[in-house]
Amino acid sequence: MTIEWRYTTHPGLGVLSLSGYLGADAVGRFSGAVGWALARGTGPVVLDLTGLRGWSAGGQLAVAEAARRLATEGRGLELAAIPADGSLVPTGDTPPIPVHCDLEAALAAHHGGGEEQREWRSDDWPGPRTTAAPAGS
């Protein structure tokens, strides 16, 4: 089992949404999605975990690695709607990762986040495309 992802840009931030299970077999795909966000956005990245069914310790470590990777580019990582267990494996060298109870709260922390400007997503992302620019454009 792997993950599906959707990345949207908003004024001054990006939202990377995940669905599925973030386990060892999904870490490469997650890392690729983070790279996509780095290449196409600015400002902090809110990792929206609303659609995530769960994550393994390896998946949690991949999130910590994403925070380090974003920090080297001068960008932060924030979490929204973490899975029910509410834990994140601490690595000791991870930049601070703000945690929000849900995506709405994360966007509110950034003055509402503004409207989506662009959207990219994996092929099997659940749901219809938004009115934001289509993938690949």
Side-chain angles (χ1 to χ4, degrees), residues 3 20-23 51-56 83:
I3 58 165
Y21 183 80
L22 183 55
L52 200 66
R53 291 191 303 273
W55 53 3
S56 68

Side-chain angles (χ1 to χ4, degrees), residues 41-91:
T42 60
V45 173
V46 174
L47 184 58
D48 174 20
L49 304 174
T50 303
L52 200 66
R53 291 191 303 273
W55 53 3
S56 68
Q60 293 174 44
L61 290 172
V63 170
E65 175 57 31
R68 284 190 293 277
R69 188 173 168 193
L70 287 160
T72 63
E73 299 294 325
R75 298 176 68 187
L77 179 70
E78 301 180 19
L79 303 181
I82 60 175
D85 70 0
S87 63
L88 182 63
V89 174
T91 62

